[in-house]
Structure formats: C-alpha cells, structure tokens
C-alpha cells in the first residue's frame, strides 16, 4: 500500500446515474437494490442527495460510491438506510422452537417454527454493497463496507441504536430459491425475482397483505427449503465474513423471500465505530506511517479514504492526495479508524 490513496468513497450525486446503471448491468441479476433501471436508480440517488442534505424524505438513504482517484470512474456502491420499515414495517421470519410432550406416549417432540416478525422495524440497515467484477479480490469492497460505519460514527444521532444487514439467501445452480418455492410462491402469484424487486422498489406493503400470519412448521417444508433457512448464498460469503468481523451476529432472523440470514449489531458496538475517533489534520511530518481510514465530518459532502498516515494524540498527518480527496485543509476535523493491516496486527494476525 502506497502513502497516497487510490480510491475515495463519497456521497452519490446525480452525475453518477450512468456509471451506476453500467455497474448494475455488469453485476447481472440478483442485486435487487441496484436494478439496471434508470428511473429507479435516479430516484435512489435523488433520495440520497436529499438525505445527505438533511432534508425530510419518505425514503431516507445514504448512498455511497467508490471513485477511482486516477480517472474519476465510479467502481462500486454501498448504502445506509437510517430507519427501515417506517411505512409498512420491516418483515422477517424468526426461527423459534416449540417443545411438545405427550405423557400418554412418553414422548417429547421439538419442532421449529417460522413466525412473521417485525423485530427490525425502525432499525438502521447497511446494504447495497457491490463493486465492479474486476475489483473482486481487492480491498475495494471492504473500504466501501467500512465507510458506512465511518458515516454512522460521525453522525450517530441520525441512525438507530441497532444496525442490521441481510444476506442474499441460498439458490441452487439454476438460480432457483427452494425457500421461495416452498413458501412465498404459494401466496404470491409472482416469480421470486419479481417479488424481490417489488419489495426493494415499492416497499413491503404487499408482504403484510399476502404473507401468512400464522407460524409455519418447518417440518412440513421440503428438505431443500429447510436446508436453505439461514443459509447465505455463496456469493455473499465475503460480505458475511466482513459483517462478522464488525461484531454483527445472527439470531435466527431470516428473509421472508429467500430465507437468507439477517444479522445485527448495536450501533455503538460496531467495531469500526468503536475504534474510530475525532482528530485534526496536522502538518505532514517525518516518521513511520500505518494504514488508517480517514473521513471528513461534513454530512452533505461526506468522504472516506484509506491511506497511510501518521496518527498521534488528537491529530493525523495525511498527504496532499488524501487531503484533496477528503476536501480538507490542515487543522480541519476528521475521523480516523485503524486500517485493515493495522487492525489485523492488533488482533494478533
């Protein structure tokens, strides 16, 4: 890693529509919060710009994009949704156990139930994490993911006490969702992809209207549907690992469409949030550098880089490229958190 950052994560703007549309097309199907639909993406960016500007909107969201500092290309996206389910509720299935015993037969039977739940209504959601295919295997995805937590750390009052994320559920090699086929398909006259798209674009009102309200006994489901409960899709493995590294945990909540796992963490216990602190930009000086995440503290023009820097009590020295990317001058307030290499060393890796 050189001293100068290669990328900046920043708030999305209207000019990003075409690059994000191109990104959506490059990703292919499965990314329901980033459909290759110009009107949907334009509305998403507009809502984000108004949210970053502090304006009230019915669909609050902070959309962040990854920009290449060398050529200005948009290479990825992530988002934070401050309060999910405000209009219709946010729906999950909660996997619970019911113990039944027959004294006559002298037998005990433990059964699992899927119960419709609104436990995450009002929580903050982190999601929509995606990078261009050619960047897979680099640190770009992790930078985008952690930038969301730097935003939360800088402006905690804008976000709920609990932060959740949901993983894409298991699908077979033909793209079939056994969980959907066993449950959702019996109550919605829609293919899985269309129902999932409607939920992302139109909201969850139709879920409340049509999903069964009574608990579902998992023993009545086909074996492949039972195996899919709480199982993330193979493409979500790295994203799931990054969430676990931030101290998110799974507590038996799953997506109502594909059965994918939903995880959560207390806002102030997210590792990047906990490890971050406010400092001032210092003069660049001599001495050993180490990797740091650095963000500015302006909501409307929020920006994050990962760069090598010299951090001391109350200040951080960053190079000119990083200062320009963050749009800060010497003496400005910024927020820092240990970069990936530095945090790995702290863990003894």
């Amino acid at each position: 890693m050189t001293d100068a950052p290669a990328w900046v994560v920043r708030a999305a703007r209207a000019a990003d529509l075409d690059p994000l549309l191109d990104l959506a097309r490059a990703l292919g199907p499965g990314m329901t919060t980033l459909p290759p639909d110009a009107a949907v993406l334009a509305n998403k960016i507009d809502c984000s710009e108004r949210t970053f500007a502090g304006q009230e909107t019915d669909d609050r969201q902070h959309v962040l994009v990854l920009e290449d500092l060398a050529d200005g290309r948009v290479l990825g996206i992530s988002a934070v949704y401050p309060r999910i389910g405000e209009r219709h509720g946010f729906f999950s299935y909660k996997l619970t156990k019911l113990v039944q015993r027959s004294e006559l037969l002298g037998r005990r039977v433990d059964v699992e139930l899927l119960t419709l739940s609104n436990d995450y209504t009002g929580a903050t959601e982190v999601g929509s994490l995606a990078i261009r295919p050619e960047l897979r295997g680099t640190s770009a995805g992790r930078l985008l993911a952690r930038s969301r937590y730097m935003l939360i750390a800088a402006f905690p009052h804008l976000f709920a006490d609990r932060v959740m994320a949901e993983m894409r559920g298991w699908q077979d090699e033909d793209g079939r969702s056994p969980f959907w086929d066993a449950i959702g398909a019996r109550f919605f006259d829609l293919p899985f992809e269309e129902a999932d798209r409607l939920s992302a674009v139109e909201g969850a009102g139709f879920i409340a209207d049509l999903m069964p309200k009574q608990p579902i006994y998992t023993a009545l489901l086909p074996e492949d549907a039972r195996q899919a409960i709480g199982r993330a899709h193979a493409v979500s493995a790295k994203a799931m690992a990054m969430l676990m590294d931030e101290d998110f945990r799974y507590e038996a909540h799953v997506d109502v469409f594909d059965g994918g796992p939903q995880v959560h963490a207390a806002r102030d216990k997210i590792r990047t949030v906990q490890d971050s602190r406010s400092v001032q930009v210092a003069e660049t000086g001599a001495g050993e550098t180490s990797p740091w995440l650095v963000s500015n503290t302006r909501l409307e023009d929020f920006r994050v880089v990962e760069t090598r820097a010299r951090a001391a009590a109350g200040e951080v020295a960053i190079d000119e490229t990083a200062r320009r990317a963050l749009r800060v001058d010497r003496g400005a307030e910024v927020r820092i958190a240990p970069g990936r290499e530095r945090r790995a060393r702290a863990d003894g890796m």
Side-chain angles (χ1 to χ4, degrees):
M1 183 178 182
T2 63
D3 282 0
W7 304 304
V8 61
V9 176
R10 58 167 175 80
R13 55 193 182 222
D16 298 325
L17 175 58
D18 286 343
L20 289 180
L21 187 59
D22 183 60
L23 173 63
R25 289 169 176 156
L27 294 172
M31 188 73 175
T32 54
T33 56
L34 191 68
D37 184 310
V40 171
L41 292 180
N43 182 66
K44 188 178 186 73
I45 294 170
D46 178 64
C47 288
S48 176
E49 287 189 296
R50 287 187 285 133
T51 303
F52 270 111
Q55 300 173 15
E56 285 299 318
T57 169
D58 290 337
D59 192 15
R60 287 181 291 166
Q61 52 190 295
H62 296 88
V63 178
L64 300 167
V65 297
L66 180 75
E67 179 185 308
D68 191 316
L69 286 172
D71 57 19
R73 287 189 305 148
V74 171
L75 303 172
I77 186 173
S78 65
V80 185
Y81 304 91
R83 308 273 177 175
I84 56 176
E86 288 185 314
R87 283 185 290 176
H88 303 291
F90 184 89
F91 290 86
S92 310
Y93 275 129
K94 178 70 181 293
L95 190 64
T96 59
K97 180 187 289 187
L98 176 65
V99 177
Q100 300 182 124
R101 181 174 179 82
S102 169
E103 296 295 341
L104 178 64
L105 299 178
R107 294 189 60 189
R108 166 180 155 166
V109 178
D110 295 358
V111 295
E112 287 186 328
L113 302 173
L114 288 169
T115 304
L116 205 60
S117 163
N118 294 126
D119 288 351
Y120 287 129
T121 295
T124 291
E125 181 183 5
V126 291
S128 302
L129 178 63
I131 55 174
R132 290 199 62 86
E134 61 267 27
L135 286 183
R136 288 170 187 161
T138 71
S139 60
R142 186 175 294 270
L143 172 59
L144 266 167
R146 295 190 68 201
S147 294
R148 302 174 301 191
Y149 311 131
M150 294 296 283
L151 175 67
I152 291 170
F155 307 99
H157 61 286
L158 298 178
F159 305 101
D161 293 340
R162 183 158 65 161
V163 180
M164 66 85 63
E166 55 182 357
M167 298 292 98
R168 184 177 171 187
W170 177 257
Q171 295 176 355
D172 66 18
E173 49 195 31
D174 296 323
R176 185 183 69 90
S177 168
F179 187 87
W180 169 261
D181 288 349
I183 301 176
R186 298 177 181 271
F187 296 92
F188 299 85
D189 187 21
L190 292 170
F192 168 71
E193 293 80 7
E194 179 63 12
D196 207 24
R197 188 195 69 82
L198 281 173
S199 176
V201 174
E202 303 293 342
F206 72 101
I207 302 176
D209 295 336
L210 299 179
M211 285 300 285
K213 305 303 187 293
Q214 300 303 315
I216 296 169
Y217 284 74
T218 62
L220 300 178
L221 301 177
E223 176 62 22
D224 58 353
R226 293 200 300 272
Q227 292 296 323
I229 296 172
R231 183 181 180 187
H233 195 286
V235 299
S236 299
K238 186 172 182 180
M240 186 73 163
M242 287 191 292
L243 287 162
M244 296 298 103
D245 189 46
E246 293 288 345
D247 291 333
F248 281 72
R249 60 187 184 273
Y250 170 66
E251 291 185 346
H253 287 83
V254 302
D255 182 74
V256 296
F257 291 120
D258 59 19
Q262 296 172 340
V263 298
H264 70 267
R267 180 195 63 207
D268 299 335
K269 298 296 184 182
I270 295 171
R271 198 170 176 199
T272 295
V273 174
Q274 264 195 319
D275 290 347
S276 71
R277 66 183 191 269
S278 178
V279 297
Q280 286 187 325
V281 177
E283 295 285 340
T284 301
E288 184 179 354
T289 64
S290 57
W292 292 89
L293 283 183
V294 188
S295 78
N296 67 20
T297 56
R298 297 189 306 276
L299 180 61
E300 192 164 0
D301 187 31
F302 185 73
R303 290 168 168 259
V304 186
V305 297
E306 183 166 12
T307 186
R308 298 195 70 87
R310 299 171 184 85
E315 62 181 23
V316 64
I318 56 177
D319 70 10
E320 183 62 28
T321 301
R323 289 198 298 273
R324 286 200 306 269
L326 295 171
R327 296 182 176 175
V328 297
D329 296 319
R330 292 179 180 88
E333 180 187 5
V334 293
R335 196 163 195 91
I336 62 172
R340 182 181 181 185
E341 296 170 25
R342 183 180 178 86
R343 193 160 80 171
R345 289 199 300 270
D347 289 341
M349 295 173 61

